[in-house]
Amino acid sequence: MFTGNVTFAVFSDLHVDIMPDAVPRMQVLLRRAREEKADFLLHLGDIMYPEADFLRSFAPQSAARRAGWFQCERDDEKREIRRMIQESGLPLFGVLGNHDMDACSKETACRYLGLPAPHYTFDAGGVRFIALDTNYILEDGRYVDFDHCNYSRFRTRETSWLGPAQRAWLEEQLLSSPYPCVLLSHAPLGDELLNAHDGPAVWEIVRRANRGRRRVILALNGHNHVDGVCARAGVPFLSVNSISNIWIGHEYDCVRYSETISRLYPHLKGCAPYWDALFAIVRIDGEGIHVQGRESSYVGPSPYELGFPRAASYHVSTPCIRSRTLPITEMPDEGILPC
């Protein structure tokens, strides 16, 4: 029987470099986290890549290469968000997202975001959280780090891998943990679209780990900017919606706030932003996994009103994170769960 108790605020895909209102979104999140007495903050990747001053100080070779598709001048906003998080007094844990290395290496991204390593563990409230790194390219049989946006040159099926060494490390962590475990990743491990490609291998690891003892109770991911749950190996795999938007691509360009804002934030037209910050307060206790979400609406037309295909995402695009309670005990292995 699980006797622990932990509460945390989880968010994903802030994308400071795209959004005009990343700072107030974080203000709302931090205020709510303090009200709910969260033990820590958790981000699931694609929060922001380092500002120019940081790169000049700690990675001058990256500063010289600082040019690319998603790079906009939002450095003042990044500094403000880092200040807000630091002054909140709440510990920040997270994982690397693919865009966090658009202007740097993994080593630099970890230093900037305060992560001890690309994959690591931490314990809180009688739960072990296992942060995984899905940012590897499979190139000619080798697993290559995401680095300075290099993944953009490869096909989807070649990107977003854990790799065999990290999978072996994961199994070791699960079998040696004194606590039930929560898996954290940027790319989803449970979905079958825009996912980490070794997800099925992870399901088998989870099955082996949970034989005779409930070692894995939950998996959380970001990346796809959708809300949904699927069951794999008897465990809920929860996709956490973006705090900001869903990316639909420039073929569906639409002016959202104003022409002026669109000029300042040139990739905003390729998004369907949410009016409100989406995040969840998650509490894990002996009665289950309690997810307290938020609802919003789109700024302007929805993706589907613009012709964005339903088949483009594994879960239906919605401007919300639904509140739900998930069991700690084994679930039927059913794939996508009803909302």
Side-chain angles (χ1 to χ4, degrees):
M1 179 180 177
F2 176 62
T3 58
N5 192 309
V6 64
T7 299
F8 56 94
V10 60
F11 68 102
S12 191
D13 296 273
L14 178 62
H15 287 289
V16 177
D17 302 279
I18 290 178
M19 296 299 295
D21 55 359
V23 171
R25 288 176 189 271
M26 285 302 299
Q27 289 172 332
V28 172
L29 166 65
L30 292 171
R31 182 173 65 246
R32 183 65 176 281
R34 288 190 292 265
E35 291 171 352
E36 297 291 336
K37 297 179 170 56
D39 298 303
F40 60 88
L41 306 172
L42 174 64
H43 74 82
L44 296 173
D46 282 1
I47 179 170
M48 55 189 177
Y49 50 76
E51 65 261 18
D53 287 347
F54 184 92
L55 292 177
R56 281 191 286 267
S57 296
F58 298 105
Q61 72 283 3
S62 294
R65 299 172 59 183
R66 193 174 187 253
W69 194 62
F70 271 96
Q71 300 192 13
C72 308
E73 294 303 325
R74 305 277 83 84
D75 286 2
D76 56 335
E77 297 167 29
K78 295 177 184 183
R79 285 189 289 268
E80 176 63 12
I81 287 170
R82 294 177 73 199
R83 184 197 64 79
M84 290 163 49
I85 292 172
Q86 183 176 13
E87 292 186 358
S88 76
L90 291 167
L92 175 67
F93 299 98
V95 299
L96 292 176
N98 54 303
H99 290 298
D100 295 325
M101 282 79 69
D102 276 2
C104 63
S105 67
K106 285 184 182 179
E107 180 182 2
T108 301
C110 285
R111 183 169 190 169
Y112 181 67
L113 297 170
L115 306 181
H119 60 272
Y120 64 98
T121 69
F122 66 95
D123 298 338
V127 177
R128 174 155 295 177
F129 294 83
I130 302 179
L132 298 168
D133 177 12
T134 56
N135 302 292
Y136 284 94
I137 301 160
L138 181 56
E139 181 182 18
D140 299 327
R142 299 178 302 116
Y143 291 88
V144 179
D145 285 324
F146 281 25
D147 184 286
H148 292 86
C149 207
N150 59 345
Y151 63 89
S152 63
R153 304 194 305 266
F154 293 84
R155 293 168 293 183
T156 300
R157 66 174 178 268
E158 296 170 323
T159 62
S160 299
W161 292 84
L162 294 173
Q166 191 177 181
R167 294 199 306 267
W169 174 86
L170 168 61
E171 189 156 16
E172 291 172 1
Q173 296 301 313
L174 294 176
L175 295 178
S176 64
S177 175
Y179 305 121
C181 298
V182 175
L183 308 184
L184 310 174
S185 66
H186 182 59
L189 298 170
D191 298 359
E192 295 180 286
L193 184 65
L194 302 175
N195 56 318
H197 299 297
D198 30 16
V202 171
W203 309 343
E204 291 306 313
I205 291 171
V206 171
R207 284 193 180 94
R208 291 195 296 270
N210 277 358
R211 286 177 189 149
R213 177 180 155 195
R214 189 73 173 163
R215 288 187 171 90
V216 184
I217 59 173
L218 176 67
L220 299 171
N221 70 266
H223 188 50
N224 286 348
H225 299 220
V226 289
D227 170 75
V229 186
C230 55
R232 305 293 185 190
V235 172
F237 284 66
L238 172 61
S239 284
V240 176
N241 206 340
S242 165
I243 191 173
S244 299
N245 63 59
I246 181 169
W247 175 258
I248 56 178
H250 283 298
E251 60 267 43
Y252 303 103
D253 270 6
C254 177
V255 174
R256 295 291 176 171
Y257 296 93
S258 70
E259 289 284 3
T260 300
I261 291 176
S262 293
R263 284 194 299 272
L264 293 171
Y265 296 81
H267 299 299
L268 187 59
K269 286 184 177 182
C271 299
Y274 311 134
W275 275 115
D276 305 279
L278 296 185
F279 54 86
I281 304 297
V282 179
R283 187 179 79 256
I284 303 175
D285 59 26
E287 296 182 357
I289 301 162
H290 314 278
V291 180
Q292 187 177 354
R294 284 170 62 86
E295 295 189 2
S296 185
S297 57
Y298 295 107
V299 178
S302 75
Y304 302 130
E305 289 173 323
L306 294 174
F308 184 68
R310 166 65 186 85
S313 59
Y314 192 65
H315 300 284
V316 176
S317 173
T318 54
C320 71
I321 296 176
R322 298 174 181 87
S323 295
R324 44 173 65 93
T325 296
L326 302 167
I328 288 181
T329 55
E330 184 174 0
M331 302 178 69
D333 200 356
E334 296 178 345
I336 296 178
L337 300 182
C339 300

